[in-house]
Amino acid sequence: PLLSPHAYADGTYAGPAVGTEGGPAEIAATQKLGILLIDHGSKRRASNEHIHDVARMYENRLTVNNDATNDDEETTTTTTTTTATSTIVRAAHMEICEPSIVNSLREMIAVDGATRVVCVPYFLSPGRHATEDVPALIAEARRELDGEGLLGEEAVCSEILVSDAIGTHLRSMLGAVDDLVEWTLSNEC
């Protein structure tokens, strides 16, 4: 059973985070990329549903962007980028409620056929949860899934990567702050 990260008296360390710059990584046509958004988890149902809504919207956005790219006759790229059939986006919670990180990873690999997974800590700052606790839970999930034969060169999924927390990309965060300020000013009574 997974313990709360707070139960590790000496802290946790799962190795360095692997960042992804410029959106989802390009993948080969035979691979299926999984993107797992991970939040804390809450006793409040609406808070837990929010991350799943974000995951659905992101997957839909990838589908729309891919459809627009495919419709553009001038596109001459030779690599295949993420698409609805080559990318799945799911959500998980660090603690308190399901789906857990390990259960979401298991489903993405065993059911959805993800060959690579990028786990994205959905936190606004690089605090302990994003930099220590979530990577530790992912490392624990890797060990469990490897023991089940779901990871490795001969398995369906070859690797699980961990990105930085969402809030660590300052330019994007400042753009979000700008959007919120503009929206608030345009909607004031």
Side-chain angles (χ1 to χ4, degrees):
L2 296 177
L3 297 175
S4 167
H6 302 289
Y8 299 97
D10 297 326
T12 58
Y13 180 71
V18 177
T20 55
E21 297 295 329
E26 291 184 356
I27 58 173
T30 59
Q31 293 186 327
K32 189 169 198 175
L33 177 65
I35 299 172
L36 183 62
L37 304 178
I38 302 167
D39 72 357
H40 185 276
S42 174
K43 293 179 183 177
R44 191 170 165 259
R45 184 178 189 172
S47 296
N48 295 324
E49 290 173 357
H50 176 76
I51 188 86
H52 296 283
D53 292 340
V54 170
R56 279 189 293 277
M57 287 187 284
Y58 184 52
E59 186 173 76
N60 288 339
R61 190 180 97 180
L62 292 174
T63 302
V64 169
N65 286 345
N66 181 62
D67 290 345
T69 301
N70 287 340
D71 292 341
D72 183 3
E73 293 178 12
E74 296 178 16
T75 302
T76 58
T77 55
T78 56
T79 56
T80 302
T81 57
T82 57
T83 67
T85 56
S86 65
T87 302
I88 51 171
V89 182
R90 300 289 182 265
H93 308 289
M94 186 183 88
E95 61 184 5
I96 300 177
C97 56
E98 289 291 329
S100 67
I101 294 170
V102 69
N103 288 340
S104 291
L105 286 169
R106 183 180 291 113
E107 182 173 338
M108 290 178 87
I109 296 166
V111 177
D112 298 322
T115 54
R116 296 178 80 192
V117 179
V118 176
C119 297
V120 180
Y122 194 78
F123 294 86
L124 293 179
S125 65
R128 181 177 177 178
H129 287 326
T131 62
E132 296 177 19
D133 300 337
V134 168
L137 290 169
I138 292 167
E140 189 174 328
R142 278 187 190 117
R143 287 188 294 276
E144 188 172 327
L145 297 173
D146 187 43
E148 295 172 14
L150 293 175
L151 294 178
E153 292 180 25
E154 302 299 319
V156 172
C157 185
S158 60
E159 62 185 331
I160 298 172
L161 307 170
V162 184
S163 78
D164 294 331
I166 285 178
T168 60
H169 293 262
L170 191 55
R171 256 185 300 177
S172 297
M173 294 308 295
L174 293 175
V177 171
D178 285 344
D179 290 345
L180 286 170
V181 169
E182 288 177 28
W183 180 86
T184 301
L185 291 172
S186 67
N187 290 305
E188 73 179 311
C189 299

